[in-house]
Amino acid sequence: MIPVAEFKQFTEQQPAFKVLKPWWDVLAEYLTVAMLMIGVFGCTLQVTQDKIICLPSHEPRENLSEAPCQQLLPRGVSEQMGDLRELSGLKNNLDLQQYSFINQLCYETALHWYAKYFPYLVVIHTLIFMVCTSFWFKFPGTSSKIEHFISILGKCFDSPWTTRALSEVSGENNKGPTAGRATATVAAAAGPGPGKTGEGEKEKVLAEPEKVVTEPPAVTLLDKKEGEQAKALFEKVKKFRVHVEEGDILYTMYIRQTVLKVFKFFAILVYNLVYVEKISFLVACRVETSEVTGYASFCCNHTKAHLFSKLAFCYISFVCVYGITCLYTLYWLFHRPLKEYSFRSVREDTGMNDIPDVKNDFAFMLHLIDEYDSLYSKRFAVFLSEVSESRLKQLNLNHEWTPEKLRQKLQRNARGHLELALCMLPGLPDTVFELSEIEALRLEAICDISFPPGLSQLVNLQELSLLHSPAKLPFSSQIFLRDRLKVMCVKCEELREVPLWVFGLRGLEELHLEGLFAPELARAATLESLRELKQLKVLSLRSNAGKVPASVTDVAGHLQRLSLHNDGARLLALNSIKKLVVLRELELVACGLERIPHAIFSLGALQELDLQDNHLRSIEEILSFQHCRKLVTLKLWHNQIAYVPEHVRKLRGLEQLYLSHNKLETLPTQLGLCSSLRLLDVSHNGLRSLPPDVGLLQNLQHLALSYNALEALPEELFFCRKLRILLLGYNHLSQLSPHVAALRALSRLELKGNRLEALPEELGNCTGLKKGGLLVEDTLYEGLPPEVRERMEEE
């Protein structure tokens, strides 16, 4: 006999595919097995037993037109058809080979094709049904998606994170009226446990009825490895969703194979009902074999006709049931929108309101999963929720960034605060808020920060920096920071991304903002109101503003330092700064200024002005600085200034003057009348000489002349007895005057990059100068007398 296992290859599928088989596909599969057994059984009988047995008919030749087997019908039938001559015990004088010849000949010519090939037809049709049912599991365009989906589905079902997420939701829902329902659902969902569950265990879990528990389920703990696996699952689900939602090939293939099965069903049913009566027990056979056997008419017995007729009726019954399941499948496919899937019930049960609805093939597979067990889609939905993903990221962060590890990153910043700096993390670890000693928190390139209520544990926090790190602050935390935070730094792509809660921190003393105005808003340069910042003293704005934001006047009564860095964009309107009556420091860096703005001269309290990196060519307006009687520091570096006007002498109160990185070739002699000058920086210019009047600067302590073209120094320079730092590097000096010995307070002297052949031994009289403060070539240093070197090398 032919074993049924030989046909297994036609229906062999991965066991995991059963989750995509609804009940009608399972029933159809059992029906095809039953029909296949009918066909195989009939084929086996057809092959192993005699197919037909024939005997010659002794009817006279003139009666050959009548059926040769009428006399062999049952007696009751014979009496109705008339009296027939009874024959018995006739000798046919045929040997065995002649009988075999007649049997084969009559089987091929007299037996109806349906009766002849019935079992083979059953096998062929059943195999076609099997192929139609499983074709979408084998077709390359669909099988890859199905295998990927089943793989992800199984991992999501077994993931410990699924159990934890649903358990947390259940714990929250237990406080409400739906606690019983949510707890029962999670009890079933948490069955597999944190480890991997085998197929048999999964079926056991799904088979057990849900049990109502009275206590909230315990939240399982995830180790680092399990957290990383769950994180990878989220990424796989995202990519799979994008890939599968693009088309509907699975849905289309399933419809096509179902429609094909329906047409096949109708065709089989029709021709079987028409031809089933052709299976008869007696068959009349007329063949021209009289020359070989002596007979031309035979009466044959189809030995398996009775059995085949019974099998045919059974087969037709199974086909009818199979067809009904196919028709129901079509009804299910077309009476509801299977290309859309809503997680509304899951959102209601779990409280994860951000679980998105899906479409196309993704939706169709989830509908099939629901027909198998809706618990699968519920556990799978956890990995579609961004809230769930953020919780997982938070958990992984907390595992990775322990309080001990964070404490190792604590350092003192420029303000002397104990600072924790975190950069390029997927989120903000909750463990940060266990370090109550933090005074400054710097967060850079961290996306979607949401400060938890635990922020209130940072009782020493005074400084917060958000660099490309958008942050949400709940109202309770706003109240906590409102009077406590002193320094706030925000850096973003556009200034409109600055969180609004920043402008409500009324205890803020320093606010540093960096970002661009949108092109259409740059000229207006509108900034949020600063009225709430009653204690703001320092405001720094780095942007592309076309004018000083009008809201700056909101803090005019107490703002002491204003810094505007425009990155080269031209600042056109500065009139609003006239209202800053208590402003002490003003920085206008890279603002495209060609002249010193007249509005600055109205700032009577101004002490420091920085006009770095502009386009200043002339500073004739410097005379007007005499109205700024408190001005002590003037920074005009990194411009294109070609000369300094003589009326610089009017700035008698000036203590620091920065003119480096300009185009100066000479300095006015009147510069010596700035008697209060303590620092003069004219490095990186084209100076060829210094005026002797520089010796009048008796309070000068710092003089920077590096990177010029000086060939000699005036002797009067060494009258500046308070000089501590003298930078002469990279000039054209050929010698250093012995009068340098008069500079006894000198502690730093730079001479590198000159044309010096030797150093004067009088350097030994500069008691404050040590080897570390003397920047010179090693050969020149070695040329000093040994006693001078020894003194310089003394501690």
Side-chain angles (χ1 to χ4, degrees), residues 25-155:
D25 279 349
V26 176
L27 177 60
E29 186 174 319
Y30 282 113
L31 290 173
T32 53
V33 171
M35 290 187 286
L36 184 62
M37 293 180 65
I38 291 175
V40 172
F41 178 63
C43 290
T44 304
L45 294 178
Q46 193 90 321
V47 172
T48 58
Q49 297 182 9
D50 293 334
K51 302 174 183 178
I52 194 169
I53 300 174
C54 298
L55 291 175
S57 175
H58 293 270
E59 287 291 328
R61 188 170 294 273
E62 60 272 10
N63 296 332
L64 286 179
S65 59
E66 298 181 2
C69 297
Q70 293 295 327
Q71 69 274 20
L72 297 180
L73 293 174
R75 180 172 300 276
V77 178
S78 299
E79 291 176 355
Q80 295 177 5
M81 298 180 62
D83 295 333
L84 295 175
R85 179 166 51 88
E86 182 177 354
L87 300 176
S88 63
L90 295 178
K91 292 184 179 181
N92 300 319
N93 296 321
L94 297 177
D95 58 20
L96 184 59
Q97 291 182 346
Q98 289 174 321
Y99 277 118
S100 298
F101 173 75
I102 294 301
N103 290 344
Q104 292 296 331
L105 191 59
C106 288
Y107 178 80
E108 295 297 335
T109 58
L111 194 63
H112 193 272
W113 63 267
Y114 182 80
K116 189 190 308 182
Y117 300 116
F118 166 73
Y120 304 109
L121 293 174
V122 172
V123 171
I124 293 173
H125 293 320
T126 304
L127 291 180
I128 293 176
F129 279 139
M130 289 181 174
V131 170
C132 289
T133 301
S134 62
F135 183 73
W136 73 320
F137 292 128
K138 304 291 185 180
F139 183 67
T142 56
S143 62
S144 59
K145 291 184 178 180
I146 293 175
E147 290 174 2
H148 197 183
F149 175 71
I150 295 299
S151 173
I152 294 177
L153 182 67
K155 292 177 181 178

Side-chain angles (χ1 to χ4, degrees), residues 377-481:
S377 59
K378 179 177 181 179
R379 294 177 72 87
F380 186 79
V382 171
F383 288 87
L384 292 171
S385 168
E386 293 184 1
V387 172
S388 175
E389 184 178 9
S390 64
R391 290 178 182 174
L392 176 65
K393 289 180 179 178
Q394 194 65 43
L395 185 66
N396 289 339
L397 273 175
N398 296 340
H399 276 304
E400 181 179 359
W401 295 93
T402 60
E404 294 74 18
K405 184 176 179 179
L406 291 172
R407 282 192 173 90
Q408 295 176 1
K409 293 180 66 65
L410 290 176
Q411 294 181 348
R412 294 285 176 183
N413 62 11
R415 294 182 177 86
H417 292 160
L418 194 61
E419 182 180 72
L420 174 63
L422 299 176
C423 180
M424 299 184 69
L425 296 181
L428 183 62
D430 291 333
T431 48
V432 169
F433 307 106
E434 298 180 19
L435 279 62
S436 58
E437 64 270 27
I438 293 178
E439 297 175 326
L441 183 59
R442 179 185 176 91
L443 306 177
E444 183 173 359
I446 301 178
C447 299
D448 298 327
I449 299 174
S450 182
F451 288 105
L455 180 64
S456 59
Q457 300 179 33
L458 303 182
V459 293
N460 296 313
L461 187 65
Q462 300 181 33
E463 182 178 344
L464 178 61
S465 299
L466 300 175
L467 311 180
H468 297 291
S469 302
K472 298 178 181 178
L473 191 68
F475 183 71
S476 58
S477 299
Q478 291 183 35
I479 296 177
F480 172 76
L481 293 179

Side-chain angles (χ1 to χ4, degrees), residues 9 124 683:
Q9 58 179 326
I124 293 173
S683 60

Side-chain angles (χ1 to χ4, degrees), residues 248-380:
D248 59 352
I249 184 173
L250 292 174
Y251 176 73
T252 305
M253 185 65 70
Y254 193 83
I255 289 180
R256 289 176 179 175
Q257 68 184 30
T258 303
V259 171
L260 181 59
K261 287 190 292 183
V262 170
F263 283 127
K264 185 72 176 175
F265 154 68
F266 282 116
I268 293 174
L269 184 63
V270 169
Y271 92 80
N272 272 276
L273 291 177
V274 172
Y275 291 114
V276 70
E277 62 182 14
K278 299 298 182 181
I279 302 177
S280 60
F281 185 72
L282 295 177
V283 179
C285 177
R286 291 187 177 91
V287 290
E288 294 298 330
T289 58
S290 56
E291 296 179 359
V292 179
T293 62
Y295 298 96
S297 178
F298 299 89
C299 184
C300 301
N301 172 22
H302 185 196
T303 58
K304 292 172 284 296
H306 181 73
L307 179 59
F308 278 8
S309 62
K310 299 299 185 289
L311 291 178
F313 284 114
C314 290
Y315 173 66
I316 292 173
S317 300
F318 285 140
V319 168
C320 290
V321 178
Y322 189 92
I324 292 173
T325 61
C326 292
L327 292 173
Y328 177 81
T329 305
L330 283 181
Y331 168 74
W332 180 78
L333 285 170
F334 292 112
H335 94 286
R336 55 188 301 187
L338 297 181
K339 294 174 67 174
E340 297 177 358
Y341 187 90
S342 174
F343 285 100
R344 183 178 61 182
S345 60
V346 179
R347 290 193 289 264
E348 292 175 354
D349 290 342
T350 63
M352 299 180 187
N353 296 322
D354 67 319
I355 299 176
D357 295 336
V358 296
K359 60 182 180 179
N360 289 338
D361 282 343
F362 202 179
F364 179 62
M365 286 190 288
L366 289 173
H367 281 294
L368 290 176
I369 289 293
D370 282 348
E371 295 297 329
Y372 182 81
D373 193 321
S374 59
L375 184 58
Y376 275 90
S377 59
K378 179 177 181 179
R379 294 177 72 87
F380 186 79

Side-chain angles (χ1 to χ4, degrees), residues 560-730:
Q560 298 179 5
R561 184 175 186 271
L562 175 62
S563 175
L564 298 178
H565 195 303
N566 236 30
D567 285 329
R570 189 172 182 181
L571 193 64
L572 300 175
L574 286 165
N575 292 331
S576 58
I577 65 174
K578 293 180 179 180
K579 300 178 181 180
L580 306 179
V581 292
V582 297
L583 193 67
R584 296 181 181 178
E585 300 179 26
L586 176 62
E587 292 182 5
L588 300 176
V589 180
C591 293
L593 301 177
E594 297 180 356
R595 311 281 295 197
I596 300 177
H598 291 278
I600 296 176
F601 306 135
S602 302
L603 303 177
L606 191 65
Q607 298 179 8
E608 181 177 331
L609 176 63
D610 187 353
L611 299 177
Q612 177 186 351
D613 201 14
N614 283 283
H615 302 151
L616 299 178
R617 291 182 173 84
S618 172
I619 53 173
E620 290 291 340
E621 302 88 347
I622 200 172
L623 177 63
S624 300
F625 278 123
Q626 61 184 334
H627 301 295
C628 303
R629 301 184 182 278
K630 295 183 179 181
L631 186 67
V632 295
T633 301
L634 180 59
K635 298 180 179 180
L636 301 173
W637 47 3
H638 296 272
N639 281 281
Q640 302 174 25
I641 301 172
Y643 71 97
V644 178
E646 296 180 355
H647 41 256
V648 69
R649 66 181 184 273
K650 299 290 184 179
L651 305 181
R652 297 185 181 276
L654 198 64
E655 297 181 3
Q656 298 182 21
L657 178 60
Y658 294 84
L659 290 168
S660 64
H661 295 86
N662 279 285
K663 298 181 178 180
L664 298 175
E665 295 184 358
T666 59
L667 292 177
T669 57
Q670 290 80 2
L671 186 62
L673 300 179
C674 298
S675 56
S676 300
L677 205 61
R678 292 187 295 107
L679 182 149
L680 177 61
D681 184 358
V682 288
S683 60
H684 293 273
N685 280 283
L687 297 176
R688 297 183 178 276
S689 62
L690 287 179
D693 300 79
V694 75
L696 299 176
L697 301 176
Q698 293 298 304
N699 291 315
L700 194 63
Q701 300 178 14
H702 183 121
L703 177 60
L705 297 168
S706 303
Y707 295 93
N708 280 285
L710 297 175
E711 297 179 354
L713 298 175
E715 297 294 334
E716 292 81 1
L717 174 63
F718 302 104
F719 295 159
C720 302
R721 304 298 172 85
K722 294 182 181 180
L723 203 60
R724 295 182 179 181
I725 299 176
L726 179 59
L727 306 180
L728 300 170
Y730 303 96

Side-chain angles (χ1 to χ4, degrees), residues 153-164:
L153 182 67
K155 292 177 181 178
C156 292
F157 191 94
D158 295 334
S159 174
W161 173 248
T162 310
T163 302
R164 171 164 182 147

